[in-house]
Amino acid sequence: MFLGIDIGTSEVKALLLNDQHQAIATAGSTLEVSRPHPGHSEQDPASWWTATCIALQKLQQQHPAEYAAVQAIGLSGQMHGAVLLDQADQVLRPAILWNDTRCALECEEMMAELPSAAQLAGSLIMPGFTAPKLRWVAKHEPAVFAQVAKVLLPKDYVRLMLTGEHITDLSDASGTAWLDVAQRAWSPALLALTRMTVAQMPRVVEGSAPGGHLSASVAAQLGLKPGIVVAGGAGDNASSAVGMGAVNAGEGFLSLGTSGVLFVVTPTFAPNAASATHAFCHAVPATWHQMSVMLSAASCLQWAKQAFGAASEAELEAKAAALSFEERAAAPLFLPYLSGERTPHNQPLATASWVGMTAAHGREALAYAVAEGVAFGLRDGLQTLGSSEPALQSLSLVGGGARDAWWAQLLSDALGLRLSVEPLPA
């Protein structure tokens, strides 16, 4: 038996898995996000550990024999969060999360000071990343910054609770803007931008490598065997890719949730930071991935549902699907920038609009335009990823937006790729 723990933003989830890759049970415990000021997003790291213990207790109660037979633990979780620890591993302040935007100025300063930063980090330095958060803390909370002995990512704080060790994996480390992604090692030049050192970083391991062992005291607390291995694990998107079998070059997925993510595995480090793509280490050795991110994807349909007074997104999709070819061709164009845009424009102030709308257009045509606009926006992102070897032929389609076959076909047509809602073959 194996145990998976995912430290999300809204929930900690735990999975009990057998050696045939069959899910035996899942359990979760919700989390709260604090927003003390506009643009701020924080969580208490202690809440992750509390929620983890609650989720594991639920699994133990549901399947005591299988739970007791767990032989290894895997970790995944939200990326980019900054957990600041002192010399005694005490948390110095609430963790600053991935969706916190307070450090936009610090990002600009870092890029100006080290123009090669994007090439080293595989991405432009953005407010969501970990490194600029520390630069903000140094500027605005100098007393806290002076005490920082270690910086951990969210899932790795839970690892610390499990094992007593400061370790992270390379996929999660890629999202800090401190990693030399090509070399798969911490970059002294990037660290210097935030007055940090390698000594303040956790040890990095491959996602498939051991990342510590369960301590005896915690094993007794959780009802598990002491000394079982805790895997290096992965950040959320790399973990999703592994779960779908996307581990070889040319494989990948399209995640159609609130945002839209195109994830493609590459055999080498292939950055294109100018187009706001991410080139990060994958969670398997000697492998990287490219990722484009569209800030509003399925959320565009949710917005349209509310704006048009529809009962559901499915109702809108059905109306759009009923349009004739000529009616679709005559529909206006929709620019899907309801929350700005990242790839390829890197423009957080971009706004959405319909182009070519006339009095002849009803809400069916507008709904079609919204779905098509998201598809074209994802096509923009795909074109930034460049060519891969072997050539990209298909993607797995996941997320809430993957449920509608009509929209899936529209996306497939726009991308020029086969989309499958089934996992990739192992």
Side-chain angles (χ1 to χ4, degrees), residues 303-381:
W303 166 80
K305 179 201 74 172
Q306 296 169 342
F308 297 155
S312 65
E313 288 93 332
E315 177 189 331
L316 278 184
E317 290 164 356
K319 290 181 180 296
L323 294 177
S324 68
F325 176 82
E326 291 75 17
E327 288 171 324
R328 295 181 192 183
L333 296 178
F334 179 70
L335 302 182
Y337 310 136
L338 291 172
S339 303
E341 190 57 300
R342 185 176 297 178
T343 311
H345 306 298
N346 192 32
Q347 180 47 266
L349 301 180
T351 57
S353 63
W354 276 288
V355 179
M357 184 167 59
T358 72
H361 291 124
R363 69 174 186 170
E364 295 83 359
L366 298 182
Y368 175 79
V370 170
E372 184 185 60
V374 173
F376 287 158
L378 290 166
R379 171 80 182 199
D380 281 346

Side-chain angles (χ1 to χ4, degrees), residues 7 9 12 29-33 42-54 157-158:
I7 311 302
T9 310
V12 169
S29 181
T30 58
L31 298 166
E32 298 295 329
V33 176
E42 301 180 344
Q43 282 179 328
D44 178 3
S47 69
W48 303 330
W49 179 240
T50 299
T52 297
C53 292
I54 292 171
Y157 178 78
V158 172

Side-chain angles (χ1 to χ4, degrees), residues 207-344:
S208 54
H213 295 81
L214 188 64
S215 70
S217 60
V218 174
Q221 174 189 345
L222 299 178
L224 294 168
K225 299 173 186 175
I228 61 176
V229 69
V230 178
D236 47 14
N237 283 302
S239 179
S240 294
V242 171
M244 287 179 277
V247 296
N248 301 306
E251 297 175 339
F253 68 85
L254 165 58
S255 176
L256 199 60
T258 299
S259 60
V261 174
L262 275 164
F263 181 111
V264 178
V265 182
T266 60
T268 59
F269 176 53
N272 183 10
S275 293
T277 60
H278 304 325
F280 287 168
C281 298
H282 201 355
V284 291
T287 309
W288 288 258
H289 70 83
Q290 292 180 322
M291 189 167 64
S292 72
V293 179
M294 181 179 181
L295 296 181
S296 297
S299 55
C300 288
L301 262 292
Q302 184 178 27
W303 166 80
K305 179 201 74 172
Q306 296 169 342
F308 297 155
S312 65
E313 288 93 332
E315 177 189 331
L316 278 184
E317 290 164 356
K319 290 181 180 296
L323 294 177
S324 68
F325 176 82
E326 291 75 17
E327 288 171 324
R328 295 181 192 183
L333 296 178
F334 179 70
L335 302 182
Y337 310 136
L338 291 172
S339 303
E341 190 57 300
R342 185 176 297 178
T343 311

Side-chain angles (χ1 to χ4, degrees), residues 168-171 184 204-211 231-233 281-287:
T168 192
D169 82 286
L170 285 161
S171 72
R184 303 174 87 88
V204 290
V205 299
E206 295 289 351
S208 54
C281 298
H282 201 355
V284 291
T287 309

Side-chain angles (χ1 to χ4, degrees), residues 39-274:
H40 290 206
S41 180
E42 301 180 344
Q43 282 179 328
D44 178 3
S47 69
W48 303 330
W49 179 240
T50 299
T52 297
C53 292
I54 292 171
L56 296 186
Q57 185 180 44
K58 291 177 181 178
L59 288 182
Q60 185 181 31
Q61 291 171 347
Q62 294 168 13
H63 297 274
E66 292 88 345
Y67 179 86
V70 165
Q71 299 177 16
I73 298 173
L75 289 176
S76 64
Q78 53 169 304
M79 296 179 68
H80 312 304
V83 183
L84 311 186
L85 304 177
D86 66 12
Q87 290 284 359
D89 283 339
Q90 296 301 302
V91 175
L92 291 168
R93 67 171 326 281
I96 306 176
L97 301 186
W98 62 273
N99 55 352
D100 189 292
T101 59
R102 74 184 73 179
C103 57
L105 176 60
E106 285 71 24
C107 293
E108 294 177 9
E109 294 170 348
M110 293 169 71
M111 291 298 301
E113 289 179 22
L114 185 65
S116 63
Q119 181 66 27
L120 286 168
S123 171
L124 297 172
I125 298 177
M126 299 178 177
F129 291 3
T130 318
K133 294 175 172 63
L134 268 291
R135 187 163 172 133
W136 184 93
V137 171
K139 188 184 299 183
H140 296 277
E141 300 175 357
V144 171
F145 184 80
Q147 299 178 69
V148 175
K150 290 286 183 184
V151 180
L152 296 181
L153 294 157
K155 81 173 194 316
D156 300 314
Y157 178 78
V158 172
R159 183 198 311 278
L160 176 65
M161 297 295 99
L162 292 168
T163 69
E165 297 189 65
H166 307 102
I167 298 173
T168 192
D169 82 286
L170 285 161
S171 72
D172 216 355
S174 295
T176 63
W178 281 319
L179 193 76
D180 183 331
V181 177
Q183 299 301 318
R184 303 174 87 88
W186 298 118
S187 165
L190 291 172
L191 286 164
L193 292 174
T194 54
R195 293 161 44 202
M196 303 292 291
T197 68
V198 173
Q200 291 169 295
M201 298 294 105
R203 178 166 64 89
V204 290
V205 299
E206 295 289 351
S208 54
H213 295 81
L214 188 64
S215 70
S217 60
V218 174
Q221 174 189 345
L222 299 178
L224 294 168
K225 299 173 186 175
I228 61 176
V229 69
V230 178
D236 47 14
N237 283 302
S239 179
S240 294
V242 171
M244 287 179 277
V247 296
N248 301 306
E251 297 175 339
F253 68 85
L254 165 58
S255 176
L256 199 60
T258 299
S259 60
V261 174
L262 275 164
F263 181 111
V264 178
V265 182
T266 60
T268 59
F269 176 53
N272 183 10

